[in-house]
């Protein structure tokens, strides 16, 4: 496979990754195509300086952010092997402790070891990429960054995602502007409810599955499988 260095092949890769991760199981009409294409057009620097060489696995960092310039609460490494045509997807829990390189603005105090999702709030895409590269010991060639408003639009464009919600989910964060209110049982989630499902970790009273971010990663995978099956 030739070196991936042109916009059109990379657009295809980013579209495929967004479809898989966000929950679109197949190309679902012109609205989805146009929307995802617009994401790419708004991010012309999605190709990083370290371009892959022939037959080298292509590494992409997917970032799902809460609000700009907020934290990257979803971090996923995607590795495409052009020789075997296999895809590796690995989630990084948002509370994973990692060394964040650099210093607080106007001080000489290093960021040090913190939750890995803080890197985006401190230094956006460049610092997030550098932090995850150092943590995993890999080089990323491309990135894709999507916020929850993009998730809403994509899920709504395909008519929602039907799955089984395993718990009653109720959580209110007034300061963070987050309200989660889902009932246990099978249902079709629209964009707003999909965000609630994907962000929930525990209820306001502390009850839940007791798994924290690991449970949330499992629900992301459940969401993915449900979307693909549709």
């Amino acid at each position: 496979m030739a070196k991936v260095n042109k916009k059109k092949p990379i657009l295809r890769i980013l579209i495929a990754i967004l479809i898989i991760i966000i929950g679109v199981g197949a190309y679902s009409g012109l609205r989805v195509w146009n929307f995802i294409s617009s994401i790419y057009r708004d991010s012309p620097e999605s190709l990083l300086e370290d371009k892959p060489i022939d037959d080298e696995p292509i590494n992409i960092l997917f970032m799902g952010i809460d609000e700009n310039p907020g934290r990257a609460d979803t971090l996923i490494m995607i590795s495409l092997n052009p020789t075997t045509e296999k895809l590796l997807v690995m989630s990084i829990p948002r509370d994973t402790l990692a060394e964040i390189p650099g210093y607080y603005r106007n001080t000489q105090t290093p960021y040090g070891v913190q939750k890995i999702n803080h890197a985006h709030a401190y230094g956006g895409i460049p610092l997030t990429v550098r932090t995850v590269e150092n943590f995993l010991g890999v080089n990323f060639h491309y990135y894709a960054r999507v916020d929850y408003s993009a998730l809403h639009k994509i899920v709504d464009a395909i008519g929602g995602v039907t799955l089984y919600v395993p718990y009653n989910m109720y959580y209110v964060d007034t300061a963070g502007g987050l309200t989660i209110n889902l009932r246990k049982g099978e249902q079709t989630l629209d964009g707003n409810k999909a965000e609630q499902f994907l962000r929930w970790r525990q209820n306001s009273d502390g009850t839940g599955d007791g798994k924290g971010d690991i449970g949330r990663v499992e629900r992301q995978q459940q969401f993915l499988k449900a979307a693909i099956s549709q």
Side-chain angles (χ1 to χ4, degrees):
M1 179 177 176
K3 183 189 298 184
V4 180
N5 59 6
K6 294 183 179 180
K7 181 174 181 178
K8 191 171 182 180
I10 294 310
L11 174 57
R12 290 199 187 106
I13 291 173
L14 291 179
I15 288 173
I17 295 305
L18 290 172
I19 286 172
I20 291 171
I21 300 303
I22 297 177
V24 183
Y27 294 112
S28 303
L30 186 60
R31 287 180 300 169
V32 176
W33 174 269
N34 287 342
F35 176 71
I36 299 178
S37 297
S38 72
I39 294 174
Y40 182 79
R41 288 195 300 270
D42 291 341
S43 303
E45 301 303 321
S46 58
L47 171 60
L48 300 171
E49 292 183 0
D50 185 17
K51 299 180 178 65
I53 60 176
D54 292 348
D55 299 325
E56 178 186 16
I58 301 167
N59 298 322
I60 303 170
L61 178 61
F62 177 89
M63 294 165 278
I65 62 172
D66 49 11
E67 59 184 53
N68 193 34
R71 299 161 300 183
D73 282 348
T74 299
L75 288 169
I76 301 175
M77 184 192 82
I78 304 103
S79 185
L80 301 166
N81 190 314
T83 302
T84 64
E85 297 184 353
K86 290 186 176 180
L87 177 71
L88 170 67
V89 178
M90 183 178 71
S91 297
I92 305 172
R94 52 167 274 177
D95 288 344
T96 300
L97 295 179
E99 182 79 29
I100 300 178
Y103 301 86
Y104 287 101
R105 187 175 301 175
N106 300 324
T107 74
Q108 293 301 310
T109 304
Y111 294 129
V113 176
Q114 298 193 43
K115 295 178 181 179
I116 199 167
N117 69 330
H118 289 185
H120 186 272
Y122 294 148
I125 291 170
L127 185 57
T128 304
V129 170
R130 184 180 174 192
T131 299
V132 179
E133 283 184 337
N134 292 346
F135 180 74
L136 295 179
V138 302
N139 291 325
F140 287 106
H141 307 108
Y142 305 95
Y143 70 82
R145 181 177 68 175
V146 175
D147 61 18
Y148 283 110
S149 65
L151 171 68
H152 288 199
K153 293 177 182 177
I154 292 175
V155 173
D156 288 342
I158 63 169
V161 174
T162 300
L163 52 70
Y164 184 82
V165 177
Y167 311 97
N168 289 329
M169 300 178 177
Y170 182 75
Y171 181 82
V172 177
D173 180 0
T174 304
L178 174 64
T179 298
I180 298 174
N181 188 10
L182 297 175
R183 304 300 297 176
K184 179 179 179 180
E186 183 171 311
Q187 55 197 281
T188 299
L189 305 180
D190 62 12
N192 180 270
K193 290 182 179 179
E195 176 187 352
Q196 295 178 42
F197 180 80
L198 293 171
R199 296 185 69 177
W200 182 83
R201 290 190 295 170
Q202 66 177 16
N203 292 321
S204 294
D205 62 3
T207 61
D209 62 5
K211 296 181 179 180
D213 274 332
I214 300 302
R216 188 161 76 161
V217 168
E218 292 175 352
R219 285 185 292 280
Q220 289 174 351
Q221 295 172 355
Q222 178 191 357
F223 183 88
L224 165 62
K225 291 177 182 178
I228 290 177
S229 70
Q230 295 172 199

